[in-house]
């Protein structure tokens, strides 16, 4: 196996970075600015896909605009819908190649045949189209026109010669291609230079000046698509051992002579468990007993070892009491019977509370030997591999967001110090925290990453962000955490069912077909239709009760009225609470997987 060709290699595959979208009355035409004869068009009546030919351009387009890539296409019940990139932002470079954040998308509807459909088909298509509107606002999507960004530096170093001349979608790790399902038609028509693999996650860059040395720290997190979903509707593992919110985080350190890479992963506890929203602030957590559980855990850790090396340490940061404690105990019991991976429990809330960030040293004392054995990846300017990472830390809390991000930042800082000391930028007695401004840049990168990953899974910024930014909790941070916690409650209960459906649709976990019954025909009860009515009645009842209590001293009739209003309001609240799950937003396509 040879190291990847240098960046100047003329054989490297490159995508079209600007496209022209022409909108005709009967079709959409998408072609390259660089090669105007290369492109395709989609019939707006039936959604049929075609390559450009001499007969494509009869007449003038109604509108012409510039787009920056094609996310993909999807066929629904009647129409075909193409999703295109309408704006982008360059956010830095990955190993010398520009990386862009997708800023906005547009869905091109090719569904003129909808007018000939049945009433149920029109209703179903409208719901699916609404899900595509949700997709348009998905956060944290990144791509490059010039290189594959799904592979970490260590894997890239082992690619065979000529690999980089392949189309970028063929180079990519399918686990991290967010739009994999949407690319099938483009792949079928061999439109390789139009195929843009998107990675959902976070991309942060910090330029550091340490004494006389310049260094770049790039933080790149890649979200796995195998168990894609939202916070409450995708928990734990599936039968194959894939877990929710699984993210590979790579911290790159680049200097003039060397490149370092440190990998960590996070992911939901790899058991079968659920936490279904029911209007309560903290829904009950249930571990699902299943005969396959030992094999699920084994598959999960076997996959980690095969991909990342033999020294895998599972850091369980959950509470060790209450329902979290029961889940943690079940995880610990399964890990006792596993040959793959070492299990380390650490009650983050007990040791660190909301402000004792330095108490993570207690955890580090337990894992330092393994952490130092795992090492990191190191390659020099000539492409010589000087060190390989031999395993990694796998962290989780309940959501694998807030506590996990604080802990991963702490470990990344430890490794960064070792790397900078190894190449002589720092002495053995120096560390990054001694350089105030540069240390601040490093911590902000990790805090911004935590916010972005949390937005994708939970819908809000991360909690405990101050611990990462400043090493302590601030009053402003506490207020922000309170607002985020309330926002999570609202989104998880009243919005995430729709968001989960959108993710299941674009990831291919649900396939639309005219040959199967409508997924909506059996849903006679529409919770989000009745919830506003129930809420209005409760608020009205509380208002009436308050008013009649104020008037109760004047006569007995007002006193009786206040008792009746209070009784009716309490009854309504009891009904809503007892049927909390039915009033919440639930996925309608796949439910729990």
């Amino acid at each position: 196996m040879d190291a990847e060709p240098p960046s100047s290699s003329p054989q490297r595959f490159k995508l079209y970075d600007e496209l022209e979208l022409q909108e005709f009355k009967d079709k959409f035409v998408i072609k390259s600015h660089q090669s105007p004869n290369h492109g395709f068009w989609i019939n707006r009546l039936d959604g049929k896909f075609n390559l450009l030919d001499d007969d494509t351009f009869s007449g003038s387009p109604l509108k012409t605009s510039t787009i920056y890539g094609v996310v993909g296409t999807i066929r629904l019940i009647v129409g075909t819908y193409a999703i295109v990139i309408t704006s982008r932002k360059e956010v830095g470079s990955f190993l010398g190649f520009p990386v862009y954040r997708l800023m906005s998308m547009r869905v091109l509807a090719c569904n003129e045949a909808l007018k000939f459909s049945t009433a149920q088909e029109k209703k179903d298509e409208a719901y699916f189209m609404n899900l595509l509107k949700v997709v348009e606002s998905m956060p944290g999507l990144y791509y490059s026109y010039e290189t594959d960004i799904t592979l970490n530096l260590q894997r890239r170093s082992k690619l065979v010669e000529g690999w980089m001349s392949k189309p970028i979608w063929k180079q990519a790790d399918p686990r991290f291609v967010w739009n994999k399902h949407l690319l099938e038609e483009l792949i079928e028509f061999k439109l390789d230079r139009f195929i843009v693999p998107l990675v959902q996650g976070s991309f942060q860059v910090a330029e550091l000046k340490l004494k006389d040395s310049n260094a770049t720290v790039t933080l790149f997190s890649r979200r796995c698509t195998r168990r894609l979903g939202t916070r409450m509707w995708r928990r734990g593992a599936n039968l194959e051992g894939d877990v929710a919110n699984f993210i590979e985080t790579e911290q790159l350190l680049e200097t003039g002579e060397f490149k370092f890479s440190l990998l960590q992963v996070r992911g939901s506890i790899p058991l079968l468990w659920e936490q279904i929203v029911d209007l309560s602030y903290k829904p009950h957590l249930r571990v699902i007993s299943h005969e396959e559980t030992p094999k699920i855990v084994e598959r999960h850790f076997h996959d980690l070892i095969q991909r990342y090396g033999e020294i895998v340490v599972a850091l369980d940061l959950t509470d060790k009491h209450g329902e979290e404690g029961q889940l943690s105990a079940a995880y610990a019991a399964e890990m006792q019977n596993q040959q793959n991976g070492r299990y380390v429990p650490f009650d983050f809330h007990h040791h660190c509370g909301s402000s004792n960030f330095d108490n993570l040293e207690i955890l580090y004392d337990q894992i330092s030997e393994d952490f130092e054995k795992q090492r990191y990846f190191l390659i020099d300017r000539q492409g010589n591999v000087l060190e390989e990472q031999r395993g990694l830390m796998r962290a989780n809390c309940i959501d694998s967001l807030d506590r996990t991000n604080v802990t991963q930042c702490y470990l990344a800082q430890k490794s960064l110090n070792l790397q900078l000391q190894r190449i002589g930028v720092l002495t053995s007695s120096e560390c990054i925290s001694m350089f105030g401004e540069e240390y601040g840049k490093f911590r902000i990168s990790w805090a911004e990453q935590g916010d972005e990953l949390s937005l994708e899974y939970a819908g809000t910024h991360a909690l405990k962000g101050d611990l990462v930014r400043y090493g302590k909790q601030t009053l402003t941070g506490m207020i922000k955490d309170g607002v985020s916690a309330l926002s999570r409650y609202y989104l998880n209960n009243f919005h995430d069912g729709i968001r989960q459906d959108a993710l299941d649709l674009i990831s291919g976990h649900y396939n639309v077909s005219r040959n199967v019954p409508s997924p909506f025909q059996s849903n006679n009860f529409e919770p989000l239709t009745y919830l506003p009515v129930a809420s209005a009645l409760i608020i009205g009842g509380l208002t009436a009760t308050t008013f009649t209590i104020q008037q109760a001293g004047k006569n007995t009739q007002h006193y009786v009225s206040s008792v009746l209003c209070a009784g009716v309001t309490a009854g309504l609240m009891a009904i809503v609470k007892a049927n909390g799950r039915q009033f919440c937003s639930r996925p309608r396509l796949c439910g729990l997987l």
Side-chain angles (χ1 to χ4, degrees):
M1 304 289 255
D2 298 324
E4 67 169 291
S7 59
S8 59
S9 170
Q11 300 300 318
R12 188 176 295 277
F13 195 91
K14 186 177 179 182
L15 304 177
Y16 294 131
D17 58 1
E18 281 192 6
L19 306 174
E20 184 176 289
L21 169 63
Q22 297 179 338
E23 302 178 39
F24 293 83
K25 185 177 180 180
D26 61 340
K27 58 181 169 283
F28 290 110
V29 176
I30 296 175
K31 60 180 182 175
S32 164
H33 273 315
Q34 297 103 307
S35 304
N37 294 325
H38 194 198
F40 61 95
W41 62 277
I42 307 175
N43 189 310
R44 296 181 73 162
L45 177 65
D46 58 12
K48 188 177 179 182
F49 204 91
N50 305 270
L51 296 177
L52 290 186
D53 56 38
D54 295 336
D55 299 325
T56 302
F57 302 103
S58 56
S60 299
L62 303 174
K63 182 181 178 183
T64 299
S65 56
T66 297
I67 59 175
Y68 302 99
V70 181
V71 175
T73 62
I74 186 168
R75 292 186 181 273
L76 300 182
I77 292 173
V78 177
T80 292
Y81 300 79
I83 306 173
V84 298
I85 301 171
T86 53
S87 65
R88 67 189 180 189
K89 180 181 179 181
E90 187 172 345
V91 291
S93 65
F94 178 67
L95 302 174
F97 301 102
V99 173
Y100 296 84
R101 179 190 293 129
L102 190 157
M103 302 302 291
S104 64
M105 293 182 267
R106 179 186 168 196
V107 176
L108 307 177
C110 304
N111 61 357
E112 296 294 328
L114 193 59
K115 55 192 172 187
F116 306 115
S117 303
T118 66
Q120 184 64 49
E121 286 175 340
K122 289 178 180 177
K123 181 180 177 181
D124 292 354
E125 191 88 352
Y127 184 77
F128 289 129
M129 289 169 63
N130 185 52
L131 297 184
L132 294 182
K133 290 293 182 185
V134 175
V135 171
E136 282 183 329
S137 60
M138 288 287 174
L141 297 172
Y142 296 89
Y143 66 97
S144 175
Y145 298 106
E146 299 184 39
T147 193
D148 167 43
I149 60 173
T150 65
L151 298 183
N152 59 64
L153 180 59
Q154 182 159 320
R155 286 189 65 188
R156 289 168 70 97
S157 73
K158 298 181 179 180
L159 297 177
V160 295
E161 187 175 358
W163 181 265
M164 293 298 177
S165 64
K166 291 176 176 284
I168 288 179
W169 70 268
K170 289 185 177 180
Q171 301 175 32
D173 183 339
R175 293 182 303 157
F176 300 128
V177 179
W178 182 84
N179 57 331
K180 177 178 60 175
H181 177 66
L182 304 177
L183 298 175
E184 292 176 355
E185 203 148 26
L186 294 171
I187 291 172
E188 180 184 343
F189 280 83
K190 297 181 171 58
L191 291 161
D192 292 336
R193 295 189 68 184
F194 290 84
I195 298 173
V196 182
L198 298 175
V199 175
Q200 188 177 47
S202 181
F203 188 88
Q204 309 293 330
V205 179
E207 299 289 347
L208 307 182
K209 176 74 172 178
L210 299 168
K211 297 191 285 190
D212 296 325
S213 301
N214 294 317
T216 302
V217 174
T218 304
L219 198 58
F220 192 6
S221 286
R222 307 170 177 95
R223 179 179 299 279
C224 181
T225 62
R226 289 179 175 174
R227 192 159 165 72
L228 199 61
T230 59
R231 177 175 174 244
M232 289 298 187
W233 292 109
R234 286 295 176 269
R235 295 290 212 188
N238 58 21
L239 293 177
E240 287 72 42
D242 304 314
V243 297
N245 200 28
F246 183 87
I247 297 168
E248 175 191 279
T249 295
E250 180 175 23
Q251 179 176 283
L252 287 165
L253 169 65
E254 297 176 78
T255 66
E257 295 296 324
F258 301 99
K259 291 185 177 77
F260 293 85
S261 168
L262 174 74
L263 294 175
Q264 300 184 74
V265 297
R266 69 176 75 189
S268 194
I269 290 177
L271 306 178
L272 300 177
W273 61 282
E274 64 182 17
Q275 194 175 19
I276 305 301
V277 290
D278 59 2
L279 296 183
S280 59
Y281 180 72
K282 196 170 184 179
H284 288 296
L285 188 156
R286 185 173 76 92
V287 180
I288 301 169
S289 179
H290 196 286
E291 62 182 9
E292 286 286 306
T293 295
K295 291 183 179 178
I296 291 170
V297 178
E298 181 183 358
R299 289 173 191 135
H300 178 74
F301 281 94
H302 177 74
D303 184 65
L304 291 181
I305 287 173
Q306 289 293 108
R307 293 181 184 278
Y308 298 108
E310 60 185 12
I311 310 172
V312 173
V313 179
L315 307 179
D316 180 11
L317 308 173
T318 55
D319 296 346
K320 301 303 175 266
H321 60 273
E323 291 186 341
E324 274 196 31
Q326 293 172 19
L327 176 60
S328 179
Y331 186 19
E334 289 298 334
M335 290 301 292
Q336 284 183 348
N337 301 317
Q338 295 294 327
Q339 301 298 318
N340 300 326
R342 175 191 170 202
Y343 173 78
V344 179
F346 181 78
D347 190 329
F348 185 98
H349 285 147
H350 173 72
H351 290 289
C352 300
S354 60
S355 60
N356 297 318
F357 184 71
D358 290 338
N359 282 358
L360 282 169
E361 193 72 35
I362 299 170
L363 171 63
Y364 188 72
D365 288 342
Q366 299 179 56
I367 63 172
S368 58
E369 186 176 342
D370 282 332
F371 186 63
E372 290 170 11
K373 285 180 181 177
Q374 289 169 352
R375 306 300 291 166
Y376 41 73
F377 181 74
L378 171 59
I379 192 169
D380 67 14
R381 192 174 184 176
Q382 289 73 40
N384 300 310
V385 175
L386 307 180
E387 187 87 67
E388 290 195 356
Q389 188 168 339
R390 299 182 289 277
L392 47 57
M393 295 291 166
R394 181 217 188 272
N396 73 266
C397 45
I398 282 296
D399 300 325
S400 299
L401 292 174
D402 313 316
R403 289 170 277 183
T404 297
N405 204 61
V406 174
T407 304
Q408 288 194 335
C409 175
Y410 181 88
L411 295 175
Q413 181 181 327
K414 289 283 189 182
S415 184
L416 182 62
N417 286 332
L418 293 172
Q419 294 165 16
L420 290 170
Q421 290 167 2
R422 175 165 180 168
I423 58 175
V425 173
L426 300 181
T427 67
S428 59
S429 61
E430 291 177 324
C431 57
I432 183 73
S433 60
M434 297 169 65
F435 300 82
E437 185 176 346
E438 309 312 301
Y439 185 41
K441 293 177 185 177
F442 169 78
R443 297 186 78 143
I444 286 171
S445 291
W446 272 93
E448 295 292 332
Q449 176 201 243
D451 282 343
E452 195 162 17
L453 297 180
S454 181
L455 277 169
E456 295 159 14
Y457 188 54
T460 72
H461 288 161
L463 308 183
K464 299 179 176 64
D466 277 4
L467 283 180
V468 179
R469 282 183 173 87
Y470 314 117
K472 61 182 180 180
Q473 191 84 52
T474 65
L475 178 60
T476 303
M478 290 173 67
I479 294 171
K480 182 182 174 183
D481 284 356
V483 171
S484 292
L486 290 174
S487 297
R488 281 186 185 180
Y489 171 82
Y490 171 78
L491 293 170
N492 296 162
N493 281 277
F494 306 123
H495 182 67
D496 277 358
I498 294 172
R499 204 157 62 99
Q500 185 63 55
D501 278 346
L503 291 169
D504 286 334
L505 180 66
I506 60 99
S507 63
H509 291 141
Y510 180 85
N511 288 304
V512 179
S513 173
R514 264 183 161 170
N515 301 321
V516 298
S518 165
F520 314 117
Q521 283 181 324
S522 60
N523 293 347
N524 297 319
F525 179 66
E526 297 283 355
L528 296 184
T529 301
Y530 291 98
L531 184 63
V533 177
S535 301
L537 288 172
I538 290 172
I539 293 170
L542 289 171
T543 304
T545 301
T546 302
F547 177 77
T548 53
I549 286 175
Q550 291 173 346
Q551 302 295 319
K554 297 180 180 180
N555 57 55
T556 306
Q557 185 177 357
H558 282 121
Y559 178 76
V560 173
S561 297
S562 67
V563 172
L564 285 173
C565 287
V568 171
T569 303
L572 282 169
M573 291 176 71
I575 290 171
V576 171
K577 175 62 179 172
N579 295 278
R581 289 193 177 190
Q582 281 67 42
F583 281 105
C584 292
S585 171
R586 302 173 65 84
R588 304 172 75 182
L589 300 183
C590 297
L592 288 171
L593 286 176

